[in-house]
Amino acid sequence: QLQVFYMAALEIQEPIDELVTAPRDSAVSSTKSTKSSSPRKSKTFRLGSRFKRNSKKQAAVSSATSTTTTNNNNNNNDTQPSPSVPTPTQVLQSNEPWTFPTASQIVTPPESFEFSKWYNFDEMDSKIEAHLLHKFAHEIAALHKFKLEVIVRFVIGYRHTAKTSHDYEKRVSATEQSFAAYLEWHQLSRFASILEQPIINKLQVHDYMVGSFVYGHDKYGHPLLWDDGAKFTKNAAADTLPVHKQLNVEQMDQVLGYSMRLLQEVKSATNRFYGFPVSIAAEDPNGVHGATEEVKQATGDAETEEEEEKTAAAAAPPVAMTRSMSAMSDTKKGDNYRQIGIYRHCLIFDLKTFNSKSVLKERKLHEYYTKRGSLIGPDVVHRVYVINAPKVFQGVWKLLKKFLHPNTIQKTIILGNNYLPHLTQEIDIHMIPPQFGGKGEWIPQYADLPKGFPIQLSHSHPQQ
Protein backbone atom coordinates (compact mmCIF):
# COMPACT_ATOMS: atom_id res chain seq x y z
CA GLN A 1 0.00 0.00 0.00
CA LEU A 2 2.89 2.37 0.79
CA GLN A 3 4.82 1.46 -2.32
CA VAL A 4 2.01 2.07 -4.81
CA PHE A 5 2.51 5.82 -4.66
CA TYR A 6 6.07 5.43 -5.88
CA MET A 7 5.06 3.96 -9.24
CA ALA A 8 3.81 7.21 -10.76
CA ALA A 9 6.26 7.68 -13.62
CA LEU A 10 5.63 11.24 -14.74
CA GLU A 11 7.62 14.48 -14.68
CA ILE A 12 7.56 15.94 -11.18
CA GLN A 13 6.79 19.64 -10.97
CA GLU A 14 6.75 21.96 -7.97
CA PRO A 15 4.30 20.93 -5.18
CA ILE A 16 0.87 22.49 -5.27
CA ASP A 17 -0.26 24.76 -2.46
CA GLU A 18 -3.82 23.49 -2.31
CA LEU A 19 -5.52 20.27 -1.47
CA VAL A 20 -5.81 17.72 -4.26
CA THR A 21 -8.20 14.96 -3.35
CA ALA A 22 -9.14 11.52 -4.52
CA PRO A 23 -11.81 11.26 -7.23
CA ARG A 24 -15.37 12.19 -6.26
CA ASP A 25 -16.45 8.58 -6.45
CA SER A 26 -14.32 7.82 -3.38
CA ALA A 27 -15.56 8.17 0.17
CA VAL A 28 -13.20 11.07 0.80
CA SER A 29 -14.54 14.11 -1.02
CA SER A 30 -12.61 17.22 -1.95
CA THR A 31 -12.45 20.13 0.43
CA LYS A 32 -12.50 22.45 -2.55
CA SER A 33 -15.36 24.80 -3.09
CA THR A 34 -18.04 23.37 -5.33
CA LYS A 35 -17.23 26.16 -7.74
CA SER A 36 -13.92 24.48 -8.51
CA SER A 37 -15.46 21.56 -10.33
CA SER A 38 -18.40 20.68 -12.52
CA PRO A 39 -19.91 17.29 -11.63
CA ARG A 40 -21.91 17.34 -14.84
CA LYS A 41 -18.72 17.26 -16.88
CA SER A 42 -16.42 15.06 -14.84
CA LYS A 43 -16.20 13.02 -11.67
CA THR A 44 -12.61 14.11 -11.00
CA PHE A 45 -11.04 17.50 -10.45
CA ARG A 46 -9.07 18.96 -13.32
CA LEU A 47 -5.93 20.92 -12.49
CA GLY A 48 -5.72 24.17 -14.41
CA SER A 49 -5.56 27.92 -14.19
CA ARG A 50 -8.46 28.09 -11.76
CA PHE A 51 -6.22 26.44 -9.12
CA LYS A 52 -3.64 29.23 -9.39
CA ARG A 53 -5.02 31.51 -6.73
CA ASN A 54 -3.23 33.84 -4.35
CA SER A 55 -2.51 32.77 -0.80
CA LYS A 56 -5.42 34.75 0.66
CA LYS A 57 -7.98 32.97 -1.49
CA GLN A 58 -6.36 29.63 -0.69
CA ALA A 59 -6.66 30.28 3.01
CA ALA A 60 -10.29 31.30 2.62
CA VAL A 61 -11.18 28.15 0.67
CA SER A 62 -9.41 25.93 3.17
CA SER A 63 -11.15 27.57 6.13
CA ALA A 64 -14.59 27.53 4.54
CA THR A 65 -14.46 23.89 3.61
CA SER A 66 -12.65 22.21 6.51
CA THR A 67 -15.97 21.13 8.02
CA THR A 68 -16.86 19.24 4.84
CA THR A 69 -13.64 17.22 4.98
CA THR A 70 -14.12 16.38 8.64
CA ASN A 71 -17.64 15.12 8.07
CA ASN A 72 -16.62 13.01 5.09
CA ASN A 73 -13.66 11.53 6.93
CA ASN A 74 -15.73 10.59 9.95
CA ASN A 75 -18.30 8.79 7.80
CA ASN A 76 -15.63 6.81 5.95
CA ASN A 77 -15.40 3.26 7.23
CA ASP A 78 -15.89 0.62 4.55
CA THR A 79 -17.38 0.12 1.14
CA GLN A 80 -20.82 -0.83 2.44
CA PRO A 81 -23.06 1.43 4.55
CA SER A 82 -22.91 0.90 8.28
CA PRO A 83 -24.49 2.49 11.33
CA SER A 84 -23.11 6.00 11.68
CA VAL A 85 -20.25 6.40 14.13
CA PRO A 86 -20.92 8.96 16.88
CA THR A 87 -19.30 12.32 16.22
CA PRO A 88 -15.87 12.30 17.92
CA THR A 89 -15.29 14.71 20.77
CA GLN A 90 -12.94 17.44 19.60
CA VAL A 91 -9.75 17.89 21.55
CA LEU A 92 -10.01 21.03 23.67
CA GLN A 93 -7.43 23.66 22.91
CA SER A 94 -5.76 25.25 25.92
CA ASN A 95 -2.54 26.87 27.05
CA GLU A 96 -1.80 24.02 29.44
CA PRO A 97 1.24 21.80 28.72
CA TRP A 98 0.41 18.91 26.43
CA THR A 99 0.26 15.47 28.00
CA PHE A 100 0.05 12.05 26.36
CA PRO A 101 -3.63 11.00 25.91
CA THR A 102 -5.30 8.82 28.49
CA ALA A 103 -7.84 6.11 27.75
CA SER A 104 -10.74 8.49 28.38
CA GLN A 105 -9.43 10.87 25.71
CA ILE A 106 -9.21 8.28 22.93
CA VAL A 107 -12.21 8.16 20.60
CA THR A 108 -13.65 4.69 20.00
CA PRO A 109 -11.87 3.26 16.91
CA PRO A 110 -14.27 2.98 13.94
CA GLU A 111 -13.38 -0.69 13.43
CA SER A 112 -14.33 -1.45 17.04
CA PHE A 113 -17.67 0.29 16.69
CA GLU A 114 -18.47 -1.40 13.38
CA PHE A 115 -17.43 -4.84 14.64
CA SER A 116 -19.65 -4.80 17.72
CA LYS A 117 -22.63 -3.01 16.15
CA TRP A 118 -22.70 -4.49 12.66
CA TYR A 119 -20.20 -7.22 11.79
CA ASN A 120 -21.32 -9.48 14.63
CA PHE A 121 -24.85 -9.55 13.24
CA ASP A 122 -24.17 -9.75 9.51
CA GLU A 123 -25.12 -13.25 8.38
CA MET A 124 -22.86 -13.32 5.32
CA ASP A 125 -19.87 -12.05 7.31
CA SER A 126 -20.44 -14.72 9.95
CA LYS A 127 -20.88 -17.45 7.36
CA ILE A 128 -17.66 -16.58 5.51
CA GLU A 129 -15.68 -16.30 8.75
CA ALA A 130 -16.88 -19.75 9.84
CA HIS A 131 -16.08 -21.13 6.37
CA LEU A 132 -12.48 -19.87 6.49
CA LEU A 133 -11.97 -21.15 10.03
CA HIS A 134 -13.18 -24.61 9.02
CA LYS A 135 -11.49 -24.95 5.63
CA PHE A 136 -8.09 -23.69 6.80
CA ALA A 137 -8.22 -25.11 10.32
CA HIS A 138 -5.00 -27.16 10.04
CA GLU A 139 -3.06 -24.33 8.35
CA ILE A 140 -4.15 -21.85 11.03
CA ALA A 141 -3.29 -24.25 13.84
CA ALA A 142 0.22 -24.66 12.43
CA LEU A 143 0.93 -20.93 12.45
CA HIS A 144 2.46 -18.95 15.29
CA LYS A 145 1.44 -15.37 16.08
CA PHE A 146 -1.85 -15.80 14.21
CA LYS A 147 -4.75 -13.61 15.31
CA LEU A 148 -8.40 -14.18 14.50
CA GLU A 149 -8.65 -10.51 13.55
CA VAL A 150 -6.74 -11.42 10.37
CA ILE A 151 -9.76 -13.43 9.21
CA VAL A 152 -12.05 -10.53 10.12
CA ARG A 153 -9.93 -8.24 7.94
CA PHE A 154 -10.23 -10.56 4.95
CA VAL A 155 -13.98 -10.96 5.45
CA ILE A 156 -14.47 -7.19 5.56
CA GLY A 157 -11.89 -6.54 2.85
CA TYR A 158 -13.84 -8.48 0.22
CA ARG A 159 -17.33 -7.23 0.92
CA HIS A 160 -17.11 -5.17 -2.24
CA THR A 161 -17.22 -8.36 -4.35
CA ALA A 162 -20.82 -9.05 -3.26
CA LYS A 163 -23.35 -6.51 -4.47
CA THR A 164 -26.32 -8.50 -3.19
CA SER A 165 -27.02 -11.42 -0.86
CA HIS A 166 -27.03 -13.70 -3.92
CA ASP A 167 -23.31 -13.06 -4.54
CA TYR A 168 -22.14 -15.23 -1.66
CA GLU A 169 -20.26 -17.73 -3.83
CA LYS A 170 -18.44 -14.98 -5.68
CA ARG A 171 -17.42 -13.26 -2.47
CA VAL A 172 -16.36 -16.38 -0.61
CA SER A 173 -14.25 -17.48 -3.59
CA ALA A 174 -12.36 -14.17 -3.74
CA THR A 175 -11.89 -14.10 0.03
CA GLU A 176 -10.75 -17.72 0.16
CA GLN A 177 -8.19 -17.26 -2.60
CA SER A 178 -6.60 -14.21 -0.98
CA PHE A 179 -6.62 -15.73 2.49
CA ALA A 180 -4.87 -18.86 1.19
CA ALA A 181 -2.17 -16.62 -0.33
CA TYR A 182 -1.81 -14.86 3.02
CA LEU A 183 -1.29 -18.14 4.88
CA GLU A 184 1.50 -19.07 2.46
CA TRP A 185 3.08 -15.64 2.80
CA HIS A 186 2.87 -15.86 6.60
CA GLN A 187 5.33 -18.75 6.54
CA LEU A 188 7.62 -17.47 3.77
CA SER A 189 8.00 -14.10 5.48
CA ARG A 190 9.04 -15.60 8.84
CA PHE A 191 6.24 -13.51 10.26
CA ALA A 192 6.25 -15.21 13.67
CA SER A 193 9.97 -14.72 14.35
CA ILE A 194 11.03 -11.77 12.20
CA LEU A 195 11.03 -9.25 15.08
CA GLU A 196 13.18 -11.50 17.25
CA GLN A 197 15.53 -12.35 14.36
CA PRO A 198 15.67 -9.13 12.32
CA ILE A 199 18.46 -10.24 9.99
CA ILE A 200 17.76 -10.50 6.26
CA ASN A 201 20.51 -11.45 3.83
CA LYS A 202 23.14 -10.73 6.52
CA LEU A 203 21.90 -7.17 7.10
CA GLN A 204 19.84 -5.63 9.90
CA VAL A 205 16.25 -5.10 8.84
CA HIS A 206 16.42 -1.33 9.40
CA ASP A 207 18.86 -1.15 6.47
CA TYR A 208 15.93 -2.02 4.22
CA MET A 209 13.52 0.43 5.84
CA VAL A 210 15.43 3.68 5.59
CA GLY A 211 12.93 6.53 5.53
CA SER A 212 10.09 4.53 7.08
CA PHE A 213 9.20 4.73 10.78
CA VAL A 214 6.31 4.52 13.24
CA TYR A 215 5.60 7.75 15.11
CA GLY A 216 2.57 8.70 17.21
CA HIS A 217 -1.09 7.77 16.69
CA ASP A 218 -4.31 9.50 15.65
CA LYS A 219 -7.24 10.38 17.91
CA TYR A 220 -8.55 6.80 17.62
CA GLY A 221 -5.21 5.27 18.63
CA HIS A 222 -4.26 4.12 15.11
CA PRO A 223 -0.44 3.96 14.79
CA LEU A 224 1.07 6.29 12.19
CA LEU A 225 3.59 4.89 9.69
CA TRP A 226 5.52 7.71 8.05
CA ASP A 227 7.62 7.46 4.89
CA ASP A 228 9.85 10.39 3.93
CA GLY A 229 10.43 9.06 0.39
CA ALA A 230 14.12 8.20 0.88
CA LYS A 231 13.78 5.21 -1.44
CA PHE A 232 12.42 7.34 -4.24
CA THR A 233 14.72 10.31 -4.52
CA LYS A 234 16.93 11.08 -7.49
CA ASN A 235 19.87 9.24 -5.89
CA ALA A 236 17.86 6.36 -4.41
CA ALA A 237 19.27 3.87 -6.94
CA ALA A 238 22.72 4.46 -5.46
CA ASP A 239 21.83 5.19 -1.83
CA THR A 240 18.93 3.10 -0.53
CA LEU A 241 17.82 0.61 -3.19
CA PRO A 242 20.95 -1.52 -3.82
CA VAL A 243 20.28 -3.63 -0.70
CA HIS A 244 16.77 -4.41 -1.95
CA LYS A 245 17.99 -5.43 -5.39
CA GLN A 246 20.15 -8.13 -3.82
CA LEU A 247 17.13 -9.87 -2.28
CA ASN A 248 15.25 -12.83 -3.68
CA VAL A 249 11.45 -13.07 -3.53
CA GLU A 250 11.40 -14.83 -0.17
CA GLN A 251 13.67 -12.21 1.37
CA MET A 252 11.53 -9.39 -0.03
CA ASP A 253 8.57 -11.05 1.67
CA GLN A 254 10.55 -10.93 4.91
CA VAL A 255 11.12 -7.19 4.58
CA LEU A 256 7.40 -6.73 4.09
CA GLY A 257 6.73 -9.19 6.90
CA TYR A 258 8.82 -7.16 9.34
CA SER A 259 6.81 -4.03 8.62
CA MET A 260 3.48 -5.86 8.97
CA ARG A 261 4.52 -7.65 12.16
CA LEU A 262 5.89 -4.46 13.71
CA LEU A 263 2.60 -2.68 13.07
CA GLN A 264 0.65 -5.63 14.47
CA GLU A 265 2.69 -5.55 17.68
CA VAL A 266 2.35 -1.76 17.95
CA LYS A 267 -1.42 -2.12 17.70
CA SER A 268 -1.42 -4.83 20.36
CA ALA A 269 0.70 -2.65 22.65
CA THR A 270 -1.61 0.31 22.02
CA ASN A 271 -4.68 -1.79 22.82
CA ARG A 272 -3.08 -2.89 26.11
CA PHE A 273 -2.04 0.67 26.93
CA TYR A 274 -5.57 2.04 26.51
CA GLY A 275 -7.46 -1.01 27.79
CA PHE A 276 -8.89 -2.15 24.43
CA PRO A 277 -9.15 -5.88 23.58
CA VAL A 278 -5.78 -7.10 22.33
CA SER A 279 -7.56 -9.64 20.18
CA ILE A 280 -11.23 -10.53 19.82
CA ALA A 281 -12.95 -10.64 23.21
CA ALA A 282 -16.32 -12.13 24.08
CA GLU A 283 -18.60 -11.31 26.98
CA ASP A 284 -19.99 -14.85 26.98
CA PRO A 285 -17.26 -17.26 28.17
CA ASN A 286 -19.14 -20.14 26.50
CA GLY A 287 -19.45 -18.28 23.22
CA VAL A 288 -16.79 -17.04 20.82
CA HIS A 289 -13.33 -16.83 22.36
CA GLY A 290 -10.42 -14.58 21.43
CA ALA A 291 -8.02 -15.60 18.70
CA THR A 292 -5.14 -16.38 21.06
CA GLU A 293 -7.26 -18.70 23.18
CA GLU A 294 -8.72 -20.41 20.11
CA VAL A 295 -5.36 -21.13 18.55
CA LYS A 296 -4.04 -22.42 21.87
CA GLN A 297 -7.00 -24.78 22.11
CA ALA A 298 -6.43 -25.96 18.56
CA THR A 299 -2.75 -26.68 19.20
CA GLY A 300 -3.12 -28.18 22.66
CA ASP A 301 -1.80 -25.03 24.42
CA ALA A 302 1.83 -26.05 23.84
CA GLU A 303 4.38 -24.14 25.89
CA THR A 304 7.32 -24.00 23.49
CA GLU A 305 7.52 -23.42 19.76
CA GLU A 306 8.97 -26.90 19.28
CA GLU A 307 6.10 -28.50 21.16
CA GLU A 308 3.61 -26.29 19.33
CA GLU A 309 4.91 -27.48 15.97
CA LYS A 310 4.56 -31.13 16.97
CA THR A 311 1.11 -30.58 18.42
CA ALA A 312 -0.05 -28.51 15.44
CA ALA A 313 0.95 -31.23 13.00
CA ALA A 314 -1.44 -33.66 14.62
CA ALA A 315 -4.10 -31.17 15.67
CA ALA A 316 -7.69 -31.85 14.72
CA PRO A 317 -9.73 -29.06 13.12
CA PRO A 318 -10.82 -26.57 15.79
CA VAL A 319 -14.47 -27.56 15.59
CA ALA A 320 -15.34 -25.42 18.58
CA MET A 321 -14.20 -22.34 16.68
CA THR A 322 -16.48 -23.11 13.75
CA ARG A 323 -19.38 -24.14 15.93
CA SER A 324 -19.24 -20.98 18.00
CA MET A 325 -19.11 -18.84 14.88
CA SER A 326 -22.04 -20.66 13.29
CA ALA A 327 -24.12 -20.16 16.39
CA MET A 328 -23.33 -16.48 16.60
CA SER A 329 -26.20 -15.21 14.47
CA ASP A 330 -28.69 -17.37 16.38
CA THR A 331 -27.63 -16.29 19.85
CA LYS A 332 -27.51 -12.53 19.51
CA LYS A 333 -27.16 -11.66 23.16
CA GLY A 334 -26.44 -7.98 22.77
CA ASP A 335 -24.52 -5.35 20.89
CA ASN A 336 -21.25 -6.28 22.59
CA TYR A 337 -21.39 -10.02 22.06
CA ARG A 338 -17.85 -9.80 20.64
CA GLN A 339 -15.49 -6.87 20.83
CA ILE A 340 -12.32 -5.99 19.00
CA GLY A 341 -9.64 -3.38 19.52
CA ILE A 342 -7.47 -1.40 17.13
CA TYR A 343 -6.34 -3.33 14.06
CA ARG A 344 -5.90 -0.53 11.51
CA HIS A 345 -3.15 2.02 11.04
CA CYS A 346 -2.53 5.21 9.07
CA LEU A 347 0.03 5.78 6.31
CA ILE A 348 1.58 9.17 5.60
CA PHE A 349 3.63 9.32 2.43
CA ASP A 350 5.71 12.35 1.46
CA LEU A 351 6.04 13.02 -2.29
CA LYS A 352 8.28 16.07 -1.87
CA THR A 353 11.47 14.32 -3.06
CA PHE A 354 9.78 11.89 -5.44
CA ASN A 355 11.71 11.35 -8.68
CA SER A 356 9.92 9.66 -11.56
CA LYS A 357 13.05 8.49 -13.39
CA SER A 358 14.34 6.72 -10.31
CA VAL A 359 11.00 4.98 -9.81
CA LEU A 360 10.82 3.96 -13.47
CA LYS A 361 14.26 2.42 -13.31
CA GLU A 362 13.32 0.25 -10.31
CA ARG A 363 9.70 -0.30 -11.27
CA LYS A 364 9.72 -4.09 -10.83
CA LEU A 365 10.97 -3.78 -7.26
CA HIS A 366 8.31 -1.25 -6.27
CA GLU A 367 5.62 -3.14 -8.11
CA TYR A 368 6.33 -6.35 -6.20
CA TYR A 369 6.04 -4.66 -2.80
CA THR A 370 2.88 -2.89 -3.93
CA LYS A 371 1.01 -5.93 -5.20
CA ARG A 372 2.16 -8.18 -2.38
CA GLY A 373 1.20 -5.64 0.27
CA SER A 374 -2.23 -5.15 -1.25
CA LEU A 375 -2.85 -8.90 -1.31
CA ILE A 376 -1.91 -9.66 2.30
CA GLY A 377 -3.23 -6.54 3.98
CA PRO A 378 -6.93 -5.92 3.26
CA ASP A 379 -8.63 -3.53 5.70
CA VAL A 380 -5.47 -2.74 7.68
CA VAL A 381 -5.60 0.95 6.73
CA HIS A 382 -7.74 3.59 8.42
CA ARG A 383 -6.43 6.49 6.36
CA VAL A 384 -3.72 7.14 3.75
CA TYR A 385 -2.35 10.67 3.52
CA VAL A 386 -0.27 11.64 0.49
CA ILE A 387 1.42 14.95 1.24
CA ASN A 388 3.37 17.41 -0.90
CA ALA A 389 1.66 15.98 -3.99
CA PRO A 390 2.92 17.55 -7.25
CA LYS A 391 0.58 19.06 -9.81
CA VAL A 392 0.62 16.02 -12.05
CA PHE A 393 -0.43 13.62 -9.32
CA GLN A 394 -4.15 14.13 -9.86
CA GLY A 395 -3.80 12.61 -13.32
CA VAL A 396 -1.52 9.86 -12.01
CA TRP A 397 -4.12 8.96 -9.40
CA LYS A 398 -6.33 7.43 -12.07
CA LEU A 399 -3.55 4.99 -12.92
CA LEU A 400 -2.68 4.20 -9.31
CA LYS A 401 -6.23 3.12 -8.50
CA LYS A 402 -5.71 0.01 -10.62
CA PHE A 403 -3.20 -1.31 -8.08
CA LEU A 404 -5.07 -0.39 -4.92
CA HIS A 405 -7.75 -2.20 -2.96
CA PRO A 406 -11.14 -0.42 -3.32
CA ASN A 407 -11.24 0.27 0.43
CA THR A 408 -7.82 1.90 0.30
CA ILE A 409 -8.91 4.16 -2.56
CA GLN A 410 -11.84 5.40 -0.49
CA LYS A 411 -9.60 6.09 2.48
CA THR A 412 -6.91 8.05 0.62
CA ILE A 413 -6.54 11.81 0.99
CA ILE A 414 -4.17 13.58 -1.41
CA LEU A 415 -2.73 16.87 -0.16
CA GLY A 416 -0.42 19.60 -1.42
CA ASN A 417 2.15 21.40 0.72
CA ASN A 418 -0.53 22.98 2.92
CA TYR A 419 -1.26 19.57 4.44
CA LEU A 420 -0.84 20.26 8.16
CA PRO A 421 -4.36 21.70 8.78
CA HIS A 422 -5.85 18.55 7.27
CA LEU A 423 -3.60 16.11 9.15
CA THR A 424 -4.47 17.75 12.46
CA GLN A 425 -8.17 17.08 11.98
CA GLU A 426 -7.49 13.54 13.21
CA ILE A 427 -3.88 13.72 14.42
CA ASP A 428 -2.73 15.85 17.34
CA ILE A 429 0.08 18.24 16.38
CA HIS A 430 2.22 16.66 19.14
CA MET A 431 1.91 13.26 17.42
CA ILE A 432 3.50 14.62 14.22
CA PRO A 433 7.31 14.56 13.74
CA PRO A 434 9.02 17.99 13.58
CA GLN A 435 10.27 17.26 10.06
CA PHE A 436 6.63 17.31 8.93
CA GLY A 437 5.75 20.47 10.84
CA GLY A 438 4.64 18.81 14.07
CA LYS A 439 5.60 19.25 17.72
CA GLY A 440 6.52 15.66 18.51
CA GLU A 441 9.37 15.38 20.98
CA TRP A 442 10.34 11.75 20.44
CA ILE A 443 13.31 10.62 18.34
CA PRO A 444 12.29 8.68 15.19
CA GLN A 445 13.91 5.30 14.56
CA TYR A 446 13.75 3.48 11.25
CA ALA A 447 11.90 0.16 11.50
CA ASP A 448 10.93 0.82 15.11
CA LEU A 449 9.00 2.99 17.54
CA PRO A 450 10.51 6.36 18.45
CA LYS A 451 12.77 6.71 21.48
CA GLY A 452 10.87 8.01 24.48
CA PHE A 453 7.43 7.10 23.12
CA PRO A 454 5.16 6.03 26.04
CA ILE A 455 3.97 2.92 24.18
CA GLN A 456 6.77 0.43 23.64
CA LEU A 457 7.17 -3.22 22.59
CA SER A 458 8.61 -6.05 24.63
CA HIS A 459 11.08 -6.76 21.78
CA SER A 460 12.70 -3.69 20.30
CA HIS A 461 15.49 -3.49 17.75
CA PRO A 462 16.48 0.18 17.35
CA GLN A 463 18.76 1.33 14.59
CA GLN A 464 22.46 1.03 15.31
Side-chain angles (χ1 to χ4, degrees):
Q1 292 167 336
L2 269 176
Q3 315 300 336
V4 72
F5 300 108
Y6 318 144
M7 297 174 61
L10 295 178
E11 298 80 17
I12 301 304
Q13 306 296 332
E14 67 277 12
I16 58 176
D17 293 329
E18 298 183 355
L19 171 67
V20 181
T21 66
R24 276 186 176 272
D25 55 359
S26 71
V28 181
S29 301
S30 172
T31 60
K32 283 299 201 177
S33 169
T34 54
K35 295 181 180 180
S36 298
S37 65
S38 176
R40 293 177 297 177
K41 294 181 179 180
S42 173
K43 290 185 178 181
T44 59
F45 291 101
R46 308 281 183 189
L47 294 177
S49 60
R50 65 179 179 279
F51 284 92
K52 298 178 181 178
R53 301 188 176 91
N54 58 47
S55 58
K56 292 183 179 180
K57 290 184 178 180
Q58 292 172 2
V61 171
S62 177
S63 175
T65 59
S66 60
T67 302
T68 302
T69 301
T70 302
N71 292 337
N72 286 334
N73 288 347
N74 289 338
N75 290 333
N76 175 28
N77 290 324
D78 288 289
T79 56
Q80 293 188 6
S82 61
S84 58
V85 180
T87 303
T89 303
Q90 299 298 322
V91 178
L92 297 177
Q93 301 296 326
S94 67
N95 295 324
E96 297 180 2
W98 183 82
T99 57
F100 199 79
T102 61
S104 62
Q105 295 173 309
I106 295 296
V107 181
T108 302
E111 60 265 41
S112 300
F113 181 87
E114 180 209 354
F115 184 79
S116 63
K117 302 292 182 180
W118 181 32
Y119 180 95
N120 279 337
F121 307 107
D122 186 288
E123 293 183 3
M124 188 178 292
D125 286 350
S126 302
K127 187 176 180 181
I128 294 176
E129 182 176 346
H131 170 78
L132 295 177
L133 282 169
H134 178 73
K135 179 164 185 175
F136 298 100
H138 289 292
E139 291 86 345
I140 292 173
L143 296 178
H144 306 303
K145 307 295 182 182
F146 181 84
K147 292 179 175 290
L148 186 58
E149 68 188 42
V150 173
I151 293 183
V152 173
R153 290 196 291 101
F154 275 85
V155 173
I156 293 176
Y158 285 88
R159 281 177 177 160
H160 66 280
T161 60
K163 304 301 181 182
T164 69
S165 59
H166 301 293
D167 293 334
Y168 170 78
E169 294 297 333
K170 179 181 178 181
R171 179 180 168 188
V172 76
S173 176
T175 308
E176 184 180 298
Q177 182 178 356
S178 296
F179 184 64
Y182 168 84
L183 294 176
E184 180 183 5
W185 171 85
H186 189 284
Q187 293 183 322
L188 292 175
S189 66
R190 293 197 291 122
F191 187 82
S193 62
I194 192 66
L195 287 190
E196 292 73 27
Q197 302 171 9
I199 304 296
I200 302 175
N201 198 26
K202 300 180 181 181
L203 293 177
Q204 288 284 337
V205 71
H206 60 70
D207 291 331
Y208 301 100
M209 299 184 69
V210 173
S212 179
F213 55 92
V214 179
Y215 195 102
H217 63 62
D218 68 5
K219 63 184 179 183
Y220 303 107
H222 297 126
L224 309 176
L225 181 62
W226 303 79
D227 195 300
D228 63 12
K231 301 181 187 68
F232 311 97
T233 63
K234 183 177 181 179
N235 299 321
D239 296 338
T240 58
L241 294 183
V243 292
H244 288 269
K245 295 171 68 174
Q246 297 174 8
L247 301 177
N248 56 36
V249 170
E250 184 174 330
Q251 291 168 333
M252 291 171 69
D253 279 343
Q254 292 170 9
V255 172
L256 187 57
Y258 184 94
S259 179
M260 296 289 287
R261 173 76 191 285
L262 174 64
L263 285 167
Q264 176 178 292
E265 293 302 314
V266 173
K267 295 167 197 175
S268 294
T270 304
N271 283 326
R272 284 191 292 268
F273 187 87
Y274 288 118
F276 295 140
V278 175
S279 187
I280 294 179
E283 288 189 348
D284 180 7
N286 298 317
V288 181
H289 301 283
T292 304
E293 183 177 351
E294 289 175 332
V295 173
K296 283 184 178 180
Q297 289 178 350
T299 58
D301 198 13
E303 294 182 358
T304 66
E305 287 194 0
E306 225 176 275
E307 291 173 345
E308 285 183 25
E309 289 175 358
K310 293 178 181 178
T311 307
V319 178
M321 296 163 63
T322 304
R323 183 173 59 248
S324 59
M325 286 304 308
S326 300
M328 184 177 61
S329 61
D330 300 326
T331 57
K332 301 175 183 177
K333 297 186 177 182
D335 287 348
N336 295 319
Y337 185 72
R338 291 198 306 172
Q339 298 178 338
I340 198 169
I342 297 165
Y343 67 77
R344 292 174 183 158
H345 57 263
C346 294
L347 306 177
I348 303 93
F349 179 70
D350 186 8
L351 290 182
K352 186 176 182 178
T353 58
F354 182 84
N355 183 275
S356 60
K357 293 182 179 179
S358 174
V359 173
L360 263 182
K361 186 176 181 180
E362 307 298 340
R363 179 173 178 173
K364 289 185 178 179
L365 178 68
H366 302 316
E367 188 173 316
Y368 182 83
Y369 282 130
T370 299
K371 292 182 177 180
R372 199 65 161 165
S374 181
L375 177 67
I376 64 176
D379 202 48
V380 294
V381 170
H382 168 68
R383 194 87 70 219
V384 178
Y385 299 94
V386 182
I387 62 177
N388 288 316
K391 288 183 177 181
V392 297
F393 194 75
Q394 183 64 17
V396 174
W397 177 244
K398 295 180 180 179
L399 301 176
L400 297 181
K401 289 194 298 181
K402 298 178 181 179
F403 300 94
L404 286 172
H405 191 284
N407 287 359
T408 304
I409 294 174
Q410 293 186 349
K411 297 174 182 180
T412 299
I413 304 175
I414 304 170
L415 305 168
N417 57 19
N418 187 31
Y419 57 83
L420 206 55
H422 304 283
L423 290 185
T424 52
Q425 290 179 11
E426 291 196 353
I427 305 173
D428 191 290
I429 191 69
H430 296 87
M431 294 286 189
I432 299 176
Q435 70 189 85
F436 295 105
K439 297 182 180 180
E441 298 180 350
W442 312 295
I443 302 174
Q445 299 185 107
Y446 293 148
D448 210 329
L449 285 164
K451 288 183 178 179
F453 192 63
I455 302 174
Q456 290 291 330
L457 309 180
S458 57
H459 297 285
S460 184
H461 305 279
Q463 58 185 357
Q464 299 176 345

